[in-house]
Amino acid sequence: MKKFFEEFKKFALRGNVLDMAVGVIIGGAFTGIVTALTQNFINPLLNVVMTGSAGNLGDTEMAWTFGGAASAFLTTVVNFFITAFVLFLLIKGMNKLATINKKPEAPKAPTTKKCPYCLSDIDIKATRCPHCTSEIKE
């Protein structure tokens, strides 16, 4: 059973699985923005353009309706940013937890050195620079 949970943890904490989950959640929140924009602004404007009037709404009622639409749209946008911020904090915390108890990698031995004459990168074992053909002394 312990091995099962270890495998599941390894699967769930892979980068691509987390990226997909964040994408789905952000996509759902963004869908809310698009829906609110369409229902609160685009559809009423199309209705006014197509019918030539606002129906039986007066100017005051029309302004009140669009004011409420703006409020509903802004609420949806704020909800989107709150969702994105919470996801950011969640992923940041998970990344921090993933680095606990991990040993930092030892620095790798250099594989190149600089030619003292032309300052090009050359192989560490080279005795002659391939760029300027200078002889390299150890």
Side-chain angles (χ1 to χ4, degrees):
M1 192 67 157
K2 184 177 180 182
K3 185 177 179 182
F4 175 77
F5 284 119
E6 287 294 323
E7 288 179 17
F8 179 74
K9 180 178 143 187
K10 187 186 239 184
F11 166 77
L13 295 181
R14 281 194 311 204
N16 54 358
V17 174
L18 288 176
D19 291 344
M20 184 182 69
V22 168
V24 167
I25 293 170
I26 292 290
F30 192 73
T31 300
I33 290 177
V34 172
T35 302
L37 178 68
T38 304
Q39 289 177 349
N40 295 322
F41 290 110
I42 296 174
N43 287 347
L45 284 175
L46 286 176
N47 191 24
V48 168
V49 169
M50 293 305 213
T51 61
S53 69
N56 53 5
L57 293 177
D59 289 338
T60 307
E61 290 89 6
M62 182 80 147
W64 184 257
T65 301
F66 278 111
S71 174
F73 179 71
L74 286 177
T75 301
T76 306
V77 170
V78 168
N79 286 340
F80 172 79
F81 283 116
I82 289 171
T83 302
F85 183 68
V86 167
L87 279 174
F88 169 74
L89 292 177
L90 184 68
I91 296 299
K92 190 172 176 84
M94 289 180 73
N95 287 341
K96 185 78 170 176
L97 284 174
T99 59
I100 293 176
N101 293 332
K102 279 196 174 180
K103 297 176 185 172
E105 292 183 18
K108 296 179 181 176
T111 58
T112 61
K113 61 182 176 183
K114 292 273 187 197
C115 172
Y117 302 103
C118 69
L119 300 178
S120 299
D121 287 333
I122 59 174
D123 189 77
I124 197 87
K125 296 177 185 175
T127 58
R128 189 174 291 270
C129 177
H131 304 284
C132 67
T133 66
S134 314
E135 204 170 313
I136 309 295
K137 295 178 176 68
E138 293 297 321

